[in-house]
Amino acid sequence: MTRVDLKVVLLGSEYVGKTSLMDRYVNDRFRGNTPYQNTIGAAFAAKPVEAKGKRFVIGIWDTAGSERYEAMSRIYYRGAKAAIVCYDINNSTSWDRAKFWISELRRFEEECKIYLCATKLDTTSDSSNVRAIKYEKAIKYADGIMAKYVETSSKTGENVDTLFNMIAEDYISNPENMKQVEETICLTAKDKRSSCCIGGS
Amino acid sequence: MYAIKTPSLRIDEADLKCKNGCGFYGNSEWGGYCSKCHREHLQRERQRKNIAHSSAHISEREHGGDNAKSSVAGFSKFEEKKRQHLKKTKLLKIFRKSSSARDSGRPEQTQEGASKNPELEKLKQDHQELFSNLGHRVEHDVHKHISSFYKAIREFVDVETIDELSEKVQNLYQVFAKRMDASSNYINVTAEQKEMLLDYIEKYVMTCLYRLLFCPASTNDEEKDLLIQDRIRQLNWVNAKHLGCIINETQSEVWDLVYTAITDVLGMDSAKAPQDKLNCVVRCCRNIFLLLQQSVGGPASADEFLPALIFIVLKANPARLKSNINYITRFCNASRLMSGEGGYYFTNLCCAVSFLENLTAESLNIPADEFQQYMSGKVVPPNTWESALMMCEGMHLMYEHLAILDDLRKRHVCLIQGTAALKDDISKFKNDIATKVEAVLSRTPLTIRPKRTPTDLDSEDPTCESLPPPIVPQIIAPQVGSDAISQKILVSETESSQEITSRQDLFLPSSTSSIPQSSSQDYLSPSPVFGLSNSFDELATPDEIYAAQESLSFVQGLTAVNYDIDLSDLSADNSYAEDLAITDSIKPDVSLPLEPKMNEDVSSSLLDTNESPTAGGLLPSPIKPVLSEEYKGFSAQGWQIPSIPCNTGDSLPTISSQSVVAHSSEPISLPLTNSERKDYKVASEINDANSVSGLPVEGSGSSSQMEDTLVKALSGVMSTFDRLF
Ligand SMILES: Nc1nc2c(ncn2[C@@H]2O[C@H](COP(=O)(O)OP(=O)(O)O)[C@@H](O)[C@H]2O)c(=O)[nH]1
Ligand SMILES: [Mg+2]
């Protein structure tokens, strides 16, 4: 099992596209309505990232969006460094739920950085489709709670990497996290050097 | 889409909130408090306990509002008391244990059976390659750390709460990680190997401490285990459809995977190290993903995964579920393992358990009355496969028991084999001894019995009619001029013969019966030295004492030189070990014809010990030693040791050095057989041993034979006297 430096948890109602978002970021794919038969699904993914010259691993936790498990979700986000709260850009109910998650997070996991994420941005390119949540409304809300706001599309991959890179950078910008990561890095660097030495001699 | 789904499971917010009202979520683990308040609460609790012990019963559990099953307050109080009592007794036990460990001067780790534990052995073996790659220095350092780690925790196991211990353990994991980065010993160790070392330490230490830290008596883990087990048993009617979980029950592969996943999660209880337990969870969850992929026909995600895990947990009903979860939470290397995949699955497992604990009709989307009916067991949902799975738990229990039985059977076979081997050994040993004894007996036809009988000699005159008239000593007595002897003889003479016989009759049976009963030490008495110490202790009646004194004075009157030699002998015989040393050093000097034979025949150590110091080895010529020995024995033991002196005296004129040696060796071989006989007793073969050893001493029935030998001995004695005076 790989060591994970940064725990990122995906929150949001069912069908908002959390799993798709993770799949897009980790495997750079979108399964849409025709799922890949031969792939085993995953609810957890670890991916190495590089930010500010440091390499570290982020672990992404997908959660069950069904409301019947909502009560348990705080078990999931305990100890998370970042939370991506997703809502379907076309669905105002999911927006309300997102707001609920955020208030929960603010109260119980103060350390956790919140990223408000609108999904299925690609669907808004169709002019006939009117998005339920306007950009201005969302960004205003995000600013109010000191969260970052990103609009993504797992289908096209738009802003997905941006979102995760932003998370990685924010994480490493925290001197405390930096220190932790550096310890691991220095450990690996030392290994490389010493193994070099062995090879040389 | 999502609007269709009505909120089904809504646990009352208040239940989740910290009881302190601080706004954070509480946790049933922490008595309904949040982590912060729980810690404060604990601290307060501890202080209160210190001040007034009796008031400490306000346990968190009683406060626990979310524990619907919590029993009557009075009972829980009792439980609490019991727990505390348990803890105390455990503490005592440990104190005792540790003190004994100190006494024996051995490090505690070995005391704990670190070397004996097969799991640790296996662990060591598994890591042998790693350590051989890393070198001795690393291995040494790692084990040093392990032992200090172990001691650090072991010391506090009974003093600190489980949470404090958990913190300590986590801290120690990190200390070691830092040490590896800092120490020059680890400079050539790769990051991967460091991870392996961390794993190794965790596994090793936690396996050692498992007994103490898993489900400790100071917590109520066990109660919770039982609660959740009962709860799951009650819920075993819940099927996959209720949970909204997609499991394709028509596919045999899915079936197999379901069973594998169940086995995996059940295996958690038998693993010892926290990360091994965690790995069981991970394996289970991976299998769930596989079975979901088969069922869904595509990659599964968290939405399908959690219900499936709940389903598996429900059907597996793992043993000591809560204890295992708490153990992993407390002692798994959190910084490393709990953030990754393992942590994710473990979190899901916790969710599943929490879901099952709080499960209501709502969360299953069924009417409340139907739920009630199912719960009360009145109605069983119609689904054959589900009911088959319901039996799964029982099946697994059965398999577990079968495994245990198998193990028992194996052990039993082992035991039987061991018994047979032991039996063989015993009979072989028995035969050995028999032949040895036979050999000794044939070499030395005179048995011990005569030795015993001489007692009579001193206390009263031999009354056997066949003996020559007592007049002979009477004549000699005045010549010697010893008052004592003459006095004695006079007394005996004046006594009526009838009286004398009756006295002897009284005496004889007692002496014969005392022979089989007496301990091996008694048989040693033929050695003059032993006889001296023993006989004086044993002197009971004034009569006997008188007799002993008499004989002593008699000998003193005869010769003083011999007596001195006796004393020196005594010191030499005092300790067994000394004897051994002496024999070793003396052996080369002694060149007795019989000696090699003796070594072959009888187990050498015992024989030698006694043989050389007392026998010819020390003594210059066969004749002289015999004489001195005779009187030694006589003076020292008085009436008690008659036969040896008498016998040797008898054959004195013709005696060869060989017979002297043989004679002196005889009493030695006897104690040997006697002690061996004890072994037989253990093997409950006493009877056989007795008959085989064929010791005349044992044969209580051969009284006539005994009398014969007695007569012989006495006649010998008399003739000795004759010659002497
Ligand atoms: N067009 C479009 N569809 C999406 C996008 N993300 C997810 N979906 C679809 O939304 C549905 C639910 O997605 P899923 O990832 O399973 O949502 P989850 O329940 O939050 O995990 C799926 O049918 C996806 O194909 C997106 O960015 N664009
Ligand atoms: Mg999903």
Side-chain angles (χ1 to χ4, degrees):
Chain A
M1 274 180 274
T2 39
R3 189 195 194 104
V4 173
D5 300 289
L6 165 59
K7 171 178 169 182
V8 180
V9 64
L10 288 165
L11 295 171
S13 310
E14 227 173 344
Y15 307 117
V16 292
K18 303 182 292 296
T19 307
S20 301
L21 187 68
M22 185 171 102
D23 202 28
R24 166 59 80 186
Y25 176 63
V26 176
N27 302 312
D28 197 24
R29 68 186 181 201
F30 177 73
R31 63 174 160 134
N33 293 321
T34 51
Y36 309 91
Q37 290 263 334
N38 54 351
T39 47
I40 305 161
F44 171 85
K47 188 171 170 156
V49 289
E50 198 168 337
K52 299 204 171 173
K54 303 271 180 284
R55 281 183 68 84
F56 53 97
V57 179
I58 67 174
I60 305 160
W61 292 40
D62 193 5
T63 58
S66 167
E67 304 230 6
R68 70 163 80 183
Y69 308 118
E70 211 174 72
M72 269 86 70
S73 57
R74 65 189 177 82
I75 303 175
Y76 283 107
Y77 57 70
R78 193 180 291 157
K81 289 283 194 293
I84 302 173
V85 182
C86 304
Y87 71 94
D88 186 338
I89 205 162
N90 302 308
N91 187 294
S92 55
T93 317
S94 70
W95 165 256
D96 290 338
R97 291 311 296 164
K99 286 206 284 192
F100 163 75
W101 289 118
I102 288 170
S103 65
E104 292 252 302
L105 277 166
R106 273 278 165 270
R107 274 163 71 192
F108 307 120
E109 210 63 44
E110 293 156 285
E111 305 263 295
C112 182
K113 277 192 161 285
I114 297 169
Y115 299 84
L116 184 60
C117 172
T119 57
K120 307 184 189 179
L121 185 65
D122 57 286
T123 55
T124 58
S125 59
D126 186 356
S127 53
S128 66
N129 195 338
V130 186
R131 49 189 282 172
I133 313 299
K134 296 273 175 295
Y135 175 83
E136 290 74 24
K137 185 181 172 185
I139 193 84
K140 210 176 139 200
Y141 175 77
D143 282 345
I145 55 157
M146 307 280 282
K148 296 209 168 153
Y149 175 62
V150 188
E151 293 183 339
T152 63
S153 164
S154 304
K155 195 173 181 178
T156 62
E158 194 179 348
N159 284 336
V160 173
D161 284 350
T162 321
L163 169 66
F164 282 97
N165 287 338
M166 195 195 291
I167 293 169
E169 234 158 83
D170 286 351
Y171 171 76
I172 208 70
S173 303
N174 187 331
E176 210 176 292
N177 298 333
M178 176 75 137
K179 216 178 86 196
Q180 262 186 359
V181 170
E182 249 170 3
E183 264 171 26
T184 0
I185 284 166
C186 119
L187 189 148
T188 18
K190 222 192 278 167
D191 293 335
K192 268 178 200 148
R193 196 199 56 214
S194 56
S195 59
C196 275
C197 285
I198 290 165
S201 64
Chain B
M1 243 198 289
Y2 10 86
I4 305 162
K5 285 248 170 185
T6 50
S8 43
L9 174 70
R10 297 295 301 134
I11 298 166
D12 193 2
E13 277 275 302
D15 283 348
L16 293 172
K17 292 280 155 63
C18 170
K19 284 193 306 176
N20 243 12
C22 65
F24 284 91
Y25 272 127
N27 186 327
S28 60
E29 287 305 302
W30 297 328
Y33 291 97
C34 71
S35 60
K36 229 176 190 171
C37 295
H38 172 65
R39 199 155 293 181
E40 283 165 17
H41 178 77
L42 264 184
Q43 240 147 33
R44 255 180 287 126
E45 196 79 344
R46 230 172 292 147
Q47 279 165 0
R48 219 182 311 161
K49 259 179 210 168
N50 287 345
I51 295 159
H53 187 77
S54 57
S55 66
H57 294 309
I58 309 135
S59 68
E60 303 107 57
R61 198 168 157 275
E62 274 168 70
H63 290 297
D66 58 341
N67 201 341
K69 289 218 168 187
S70 101
S71 39
V72 195
F75 180 67
S76 69
K77 243 178 207 171
F78 164 76
E79 292 265 276
E80 181 76 16
K81 232 177 207 167
K82 194 184 76 186
R83 212 172 299 130
Q84 279 172 357
H85 178 71
L86 247 174
K87 197 174 171 179
K88 243 183 263 167
T89 50
K90 210 174 104 195
L91 219 133
L92 277 174
K93 233 186 276 167
I94 272 125
F95 276 140
R96 223 175 296 135
K97 216 182 193 177
S98 61
S99 68
S100 72
R102 223 172 294 132
D103 289 345
S104 60
R106 279 157 70 199
E108 260 214 75
Q109 181 146 11
T110 54
Q111 184 85 13
E112 194 65 25
S115 51
K116 285 173 228 144
N117 195 329
E119 281 160 80
L120 290 180
E121 285 297 305
K122 197 180 166 289
L123 189 64
K124 268 187 188 164
Q125 260 173 16
D126 290 349
H127 287 76
Q128 216 152 41
E129 201 187 332
L130 173 69
F131 281 124
S132 66
N133 285 342
L134 293 176
H136 181 72
R137 262 193 19 222
V138 172
E139 183 174 359
H140 180 76
D141 195 68
V142 166
H143 281 108
K144 217 171 79 191
H145 188 262
I146 285 176
S147 95
S148 70
F149 191 153
Y150 175 81
K151 274 181 203 139
I153 300 302
R154 185 69 180 77
E155 199 179 322
F156 292 104
V157 153
D158 296 287
V159 190
E160 296 195 342
T161 65
I162 199 75
D163 295 315
E164 287 169 321
L165 286 171
S166 159
E167 228 164 90
K168 266 212 171 72
V169 168
Q170 297 294 347
N171 205 29
L172 282 165
Y173 288 146
Q174 279 177 358
V175 165
F176 182 70
K178 288 224 172 78
R179 177 159 152 176
M180 283 201 297
D181 291 340
S183 169
S184 59
N185 283 342
Y186 299 90
I187 214 149
N188 290 330
V189 182
T190 65
E192 208 177 302
Q193 286 169 329
K194 281 180 185 175
E195 298 280 308
M196 283 163 87
L197 286 178
L198 280 168
D199 282 350
Y200 177 71
I201 283 196
E202 181 191 325
K203 283 183 187 172
Y204 198 102
V205 176
M206 291 322 286
T207 308
C208 284
L209 291 165
Y210 185 72
R211 206 172 37 82
L212 298 166
L213 296 181
F214 183 81
C215 188
S218 57
T219 65
N220 56 359
D221 287 0
E222 199 181 340
E223 284 165 54
K224 286 184 194 154
D225 286 341
L226 294 176
L227 280 177
I228 186 74
Q229 196 163 15
D230 282 349
R231 173 76 175 165
I232 290 176
R233 207 166 279 156
Q234 246 185 334
L235 287 172
N236 68 1
W237 53 269
V238 176
N239 60 34
K241 270 195 207 82
H242 288 133
L243 295 167
C245 142
I246 314 138
I247 290 182
N248 190 342
E249 36 193 280
T250 54
Q251 268 179 291
S252 64
E253 298 104 68
V254 175
W255 265 62
D256 286 347
L257 283 167
V258 167
Y259 290 129
T260 323
I262 287 175
T263 316
D264 286 335
V265 77
L266 286 175
M268 180 172 68
D269 190 51
S270 47
K272 289 258 165 76
Q275 60 174 294
D276 286 339
K277 286 183 187 288
L278 190 65
N279 282 334
C280 290
V281 178
V282 170
R283 272 202 303 278
C284 166
C285 292
R286 283 184 181 156
N287 280 319
I288 290 174
F289 267 106
L290 284 176
L291 76 89
L292 282 176
Q293 188 207 355
Q294 304 252 352
S295 303
V296 179
S301 72
D303 300 281
E304 295 92 35
F305 169 69
L306 186 58
L309 180 63
I310 292 169
F311 179 74
I312 294 294
V313 171
L314 191 64
K315 294 309 166 191
N317 198 357
R320 301 194 282 183
L321 186 53
K322 278 278 181 175
S323 286
N324 278 302
I325 286 178
N326 287 339
Y327 180 73
I328 295 172
T329 313
R330 287 164 188 155
F331 301 114
C332 202
N333 195 335
S335 58
R336 294 174 52 239
L337 299 166
M338 291 307 244
S339 57
E341 193 185 7
Y344 180 75
Y345 291 141
F346 183 70
T347 304
N348 273 282
L349 178 67
C350 295
C351 279
V353 172
S354 157
F355 179 82
L356 289 171
E357 278 175 329
N358 300 305
L359 186 129
T360 59
E362 259 183 293
S363 46
L364 295 178
N365 277 326
I366 55 170
D369 55 334
E370 198 185 328
F371 181 82
Q372 277 306 319
Q373 278 181 325
Y374 286 143
M375 283 303 269
S376 58
K378 277 181 198 142
V379 187
V380 178
N383 188 324
T384 45
W385 190 64
E386 293 294 336
S387 38
L389 260 187
M390 268 157 75
M391 291 192 293
C392 202
E393 193 201 338
M395 283 282 283
H396 273 283
L397 203 69
M398 205 177 76
Y399 280 128
E400 246 168 66
H401 291 170
L402 278 177
I404 292 169
L405 281 176
D406 207 46
D407 182 49
L408 276 177
R409 201 176 49 78
K410 266 185 215 145
R411 282 202 238 170
H412 185 242
V413 169
C414 256
L415 187 75
I416 298 261
Q417 280 169 353
T419 316
L422 189 68
K423 244 185 196 159
D424 282 356
D425 275 2
I426 286 167
S427 61
K428 227 176 83 190
F429 190 62
K430 195 174 73 186
N431 291 338
D432 264 17
I433 295 306
T435 51
K436 276 179 200 169
V437 167
E438 217 61 65
V440 171
L441 282 177
S442 62
R443 226 186 307 115
T444 59
L446 254 193
T447 53
I448 258 190
R449 188 148 307 118
K451 271 174 252 155
R452 281 273 156 185
T453 38
T455 1
D456 316 348
L457 172 90
D458 270 342
S459 53
E460 55 237 276
D461 274 2
T463 37
C464 295
E465 285 91 60
S466 59
L467 277 179
I471 307 154
V472 186
Q474 209 177 5
I475 297 156
I476 294 155
Q479 277 179 340
V480 174
S482 158
D483 285 346
I485 284 179
S486 64
Q487 211 177 19
K488 193 191 169 195
I489 289 158
L490 275 170
V491 170
S492 64
E493 238 182 350
T494 47
E495 270 173 1
S496 78
S497 63
Q498 224 192 1
E499 207 184 322
I500 289 160
T501 36
S502 69
R503 265 177 84 181
Q504 204 187 20
D505 282 348
L506 275 173
F507 188 82
L508 262 172
S510 75
S511 73
T512 43
S513 66
S514 76
I515 290 162
Q517 276 169 0
S518 57
S519 67
S520 62
Q521 226 187 353
D522 264 293
Y523 290 106
L524 283 173
S525 64
S527 143
V529 187
F530 275 105
L532 177 71
S533 55
N534 278 354
S535 63
F536 276 122
D537 288 342
E538 282 162 16
L539 288 179
T541 64
D543 216 341
E544 286 163 346
I545 291 167
Y546 171 72
Q549 279 172 342
E550 218 178 13
S551 62
L552 197 76
S553 63
F554 165 67
V555 173
Q556 272 170 338
L558 270 175
T559 48
V561 191
N562 286 338
Y563 190 68
D564 287 344
I565 295 163
D566 270 358
L567 285 173
S568 68
D569 245 16
L570 167 78
S571 63
D573 259 19
N574 262 343
S575 86
Y576 180 77
E578 232 177 300
D579 275 358
L580 261 175
I582 289 163
T583 39
D584 283 351
S585 58
I586 285 168
K587 231 180 176 175
D589 298 338
V590 187
S591 57
L592 293 167
L594 238 179
E595 206 181 290
K597 202 185 164 196
M598 301 287 294
N599 282 344
E600 280 166 36
D601 285 349
V602 191
S603 105
S604 53
S605 67
L606 256 177
L607 231 182
D608 286 350
T609 5
N610 289 295
E611 183 190 354
S612 28
T614 45
L618 282 176
L619 309 166
S621 91
I623 297 165
K624 237 196 168 174
V626 171
L627 249 169
S628 69
E629 199 181 37
E630 172 192 354
Y631 284 112
K632 252 184 272 168
F634 209 50
S635 63
Q637 291 170 291
W639 51 275
Q640 266 197 331
I641 293 212
S643 83
I644 298 177
C646 294
N647 187 24
T648 39
D650 188 27
S651 52
L652 192 76
T654 50
I655 202 161
S656 69
S657 68
Q658 193 182 11
S659 69
V660 172
V661 173
H663 180 91
S664 63
S665 74
E666 187 203 324
I668 295 135
S669 71
L670 280 169
L672 175 79
T673 50
N674 200 36
S675 64
E676 276 159 359
R677 214 157 41 88
K678 273 180 190 159
D679 293 340
Y680 283 113
K681 246 176 222 163
V682 176
S684 75
E685 298 221 0
I686 313 155
N687 293 336
D688 288 28
N690 279 346
S691 61
V692 171
S693 65
L695 286 172
V697 191
E698 311 292 333
S700 55
S702 61
S703 61
S704 64
Q705 190 197 341
M706 200 190 73
E707 258 170 39
D708 283 349
T709 46
L710 194 131
V711 167
K712 249 191 248 166
L714 288 178
S715 62
V717 170
M718 292 320 282
S719 62
T720 314
F721 272 99
D722 286 354
R723 242 192 337 280
L724 274 172
F725 304 122

